[in-house]
Structure formats: C-alpha cells, structure tokens
Amino acid sequence: MKLKYLFSLVFLATLLACEDEKNLTPRSSDASSLSRFEFPQGNNSWDRDLEEIANTFKTIPVYTAFDSLDLNQRWSGTYTISRLGETLDDEYAAFYADFFKNHIFAFLEPNLLTRVLPNYIYLVDDLRQKGSWTYGYTPLACLWDGLDYWAFSFRAKEENLAVIDYGNGFVYKPYKPYDLPKGSWEYKVRRTVILQNVVTKIVEKGNVAIPVEFESGGDFDYSKSFSSSMTADNYFKKLGYLGQMTPTSYNFSNPSGKMTVQTNFTNYLKLGLRYTRDSVLIVYPPEQYPLIIKYYDFTMKYLKDKYGWDLVKAAELIAVKEN
C-alpha cells in the first residue's frame, strides 16, 4: 500500500523526540502502514523483496525518496547537515535488496528482534560524513545512531573522500574508495560486520537470555584480571574469552578493561557468525584453549534448542579470500 508523507520532517522530529524509544518500533502486521514514505517504492522485483522484509521484520527498507534531512535526524531535534548520501539507481537497488534479503535477514529470527530494529533502514549510495578535513568526507559503511533509522552503504566514491592538504605540496588521503562486494570474502566481511551489531542489540534487549553457565562461579570469574600475554596463566583466551569486536570490526582484538558476562556471551554469538566448528578448532586449538570450543558448542546448541536460531548458517556460506 502506498502512502504519502504523513508529517513534515520537522514536525516528525519534534514528535519523535518526545516519544520513548520503545514507541519507535513498528508493531503493525503491515509495516508499510507506518511509513512516512511511499512504500513499496516501486514495482520491481527488488521492491517485492523489500516489502517482504518490511512485513516480516517490521522495519522498512528505503532506497529512494530520502534526502539529507532524513539522514541527519537526531534525538536533539536539530538539523545540522553533517551526513550526506544519494539514493540508489536500479542496479544498486537490486543488489542491496538481494544482499539484505539473502545475507542479513536470512540469518535472523523475527521473534528475536522485538525493540531491536529501527523503523527505517536507509540503503544509501556513498554515505559520508563531514570531518576535520581540508575538503571531502569520511565514508560511512554503517550508521547505527539515527533517530529512528539505521543506514548502510556499499560504495564510497573517490571524488568525495577526505583530503588533508598540508600546504607544502604534500596531500594525504586517509581513506580509499570502495564499491559493491565482488567476491565471497568481501561478502562475508560485509555480512559479519552488520550482523555482529544486530546480535549485540538482541542480547542487550534481553531477547536472548544469557544462560547461567556464563555467570561467574563456574568456568568464568569476571572479578579476576586477564592478560594479553600468550605466556601468562591468565591469558584471556585460556580463560575462555575471545577478545573484543568494535562496531566496525570483522576481527576480534585483544580485550581491554573488564570482561563482563554480557560481553563474553555476546562474543560467542559473534564467533558463531564468523566460524564453523572446524574453523574454531583451527583458530582456537582445543589443547591450548579448551574453554573456547566448549562454550562455542554450548552456545550454538543453546541458541538452536531454545530459540530455533541456527546462527552457524551464516558462517557456513563459502568465503574465499582472494588475492
């Protein structure tokens, strides 16, 4: 069903700024009924895929008809234009729709996403943000902190990238352009970075309960310090900790600060996104790190038995790192 804008953007921002976060989650069985955009946005095959996502997961993927105001809505209600991006042409719209259908939502369970997904997911070409550069912009592959939206972009155009001109003939370009993922390895990296943020939010919202086996008192003791030295008795991997993964990361890095039960459990979900069991045994040899394979097996079984969530399916997609 197609609907026109229901409110002006300024009125909408004022209205939403007064609402509690829980009221920003679509609850209609027909997600498009809540859209301030015309939706679906066309009659193409990819529009049908996006409409299916909207009605199944209660979040509305938008690839056209948005503008800079949409990309800059914030809880403050102000409209400082710091983020820019373009709508998708047909080629890119078809790719984005296929990617999110088959590489993101195919690995998520709708019943676990209550209060997790935003009202809107903007699919953007060359999403970028102003920074302290001589000219140009910082590319953004993912944006998670919009008012009632997330945004994703698979392309950073070279002509819009940040440049630092030191004025002595030396010009520095801190970012490289990128485009649609080409090989299976690039698909895996893009997929994992997005999904690892979603699973974090699923655990934060309590939609997946942290099992008692991860609490202090058994194999884990979060009151004790850990080390990043492989030779130390309290090396973090020996304690069953995987490290940390920032919102833009694909790899785990050495942890910092204190480990918590929520971070530890969530990391095992992220591990399931990345590695099959055979790969876990190679990356984390059980003779060195017996707790890791123990809790990998436990977590994957727990998710499947209790929630019907087979997280390992994402890791099982073939990914070949190309030279």
Side-chain angles (χ1 to χ4, degrees), residues 5-291:
Y5 281 89
L6 298 179
F7 309 100
S8 72
L9 290 173
V10 174
F11 178 77
L12 180 68
T14 303
L15 174 67
L16 291 179
C18 298
E19 293 289 328
D20 186 85
E21 179 187 355
K22 66 182 180 182
N23 293 324
L24 293 178
T25 304
R27 288 173 170 78
S28 171
S29 60
D30 176 11
S32 66
S33 67
L34 295 178
S35 180
R36 62 176 177 265
F37 297 95
E38 292 185 349
F39 190 83
Q41 297 190 298
N43 298 309
N44 304 288
S45 59
W46 59 85
D47 291 296
R48 292 190 291 274
D49 288 340
L50 296 177
E51 186 176 21
E52 180 183 345
I53 289 171
N55 288 328
T56 302
F57 293 93
K58 310 301 181 286
T59 186
I60 301 169
V62 175
Y63 68 90
T64 189
F66 60 82
D67 58 24
S68 296
L69 290 180
D70 294 299
L71 294 175
N72 286 275
Q73 292 183 59
R74 292 177 172 84
W75 280 103
S76 65
T78 60
Y79 280 101
T80 302
I81 304 300
S82 61
R83 299 163 178 164
L84 300 171
E86 283 71 54
T87 60
L88 303 182
D89 62 22
D90 286 356
E91 176 188 359
Y92 276 69
F95 181 91
Y96 278 55
D98 177 79
F99 184 91
F100 276 86
K101 177 182 179 180
N102 295 307
H103 290 267
I104 301 300
F105 287 102
F107 304 113
L108 296 172
E109 293 294 328
N111 60 306
L112 298 179
L113 294 170
T114 303
R115 299 174 294 115
V116 171
L117 298 177
N119 279 358
Y120 301 98
I121 291 178
Y122 293 145
L123 307 177
V124 186
D125 186 22
D126 195 19
L127 182 63
R128 56 200 186 274
Q129 181 167 298
K130 292 180 180 178
S132 301
W133 316 111
T134 306
Y135 55 88
Y137 301 88
T138 303
L140 295 175
C142 304
L143 193 158
W144 300 99
D145 63 351
L147 177 68
D148 61 347
Y149 65 91
W150 297 340
F152 302 99
S153 180
F154 288 143
R155 176 161 66 169
K157 297 178 182 177
E158 186 167 14
E159 60 266 27
N160 291 326
L161 292 178
V163 173
I164 302 174
D165 189 341
Y166 290 96
N168 55 2
F170 179 67
V171 174
Y172 175 61
K173 298 181 179 180
Y175 302 103
K176 294 181 180 180
Y178 53 81
D179 209 329
L180 303 178
K182 298 293 192 299
S184 59
W185 182 256
E186 290 185 17
Y187 272 84
K188 182 178 178 66
V189 171
R190 299 286 184 98
R191 176 176 68 247
T192 304
V193 169
I194 294 173
L195 286 172
Q196 64 107 339
N197 283 274
V198 178
V199 301
T200 297
K201 296 176 187 300
I202 288 173
V203 177
E204 287 175 348
K205 294 296 184 181
N207 295 349
V208 167
I210 300 174
V212 67
E213 285 81 359
F214 274 84
E215 300 286 349
S216 283
D219 286 324
F220 302 112
D221 185 348
Y222 303 107
S223 67
K224 293 183 178 179
S225 63
F226 54 80
S227 172
S228 295
S229 171
M230 294 180 65
T231 59
D233 290 339
N234 64 338
Y235 178 49
F236 68 91
K237 293 181 183 179
K238 295 177 183 177
L239 300 179
Y241 302 150
L242 298 167
Q244 66 183 13
M245 186 182 283
T246 67
T248 58
S249 297
Y250 172 75
N251 293 311
F252 285 104
S253 57
N254 289 351
S256 59
K258 287 188 176 182
M259 183 60 64
T260 67
V261 59
Q262 180 172 296
T263 298
N264 191 27
F265 175 64
T266 303
N267 280 345
Y268 275 89
L269 272 67
K270 296 176 182 179
L271 186 66
L273 290 172
R274 289 199 58 200
Y275 293 132
T276 63
R277 190 179 194 279
D278 287 345
S279 295
V280 172
L281 291 173
I282 294 171
V283 177
Y284 302 98
E287 63 274 13
Q288 294 177 260
Y289 314 119
L291 289 179

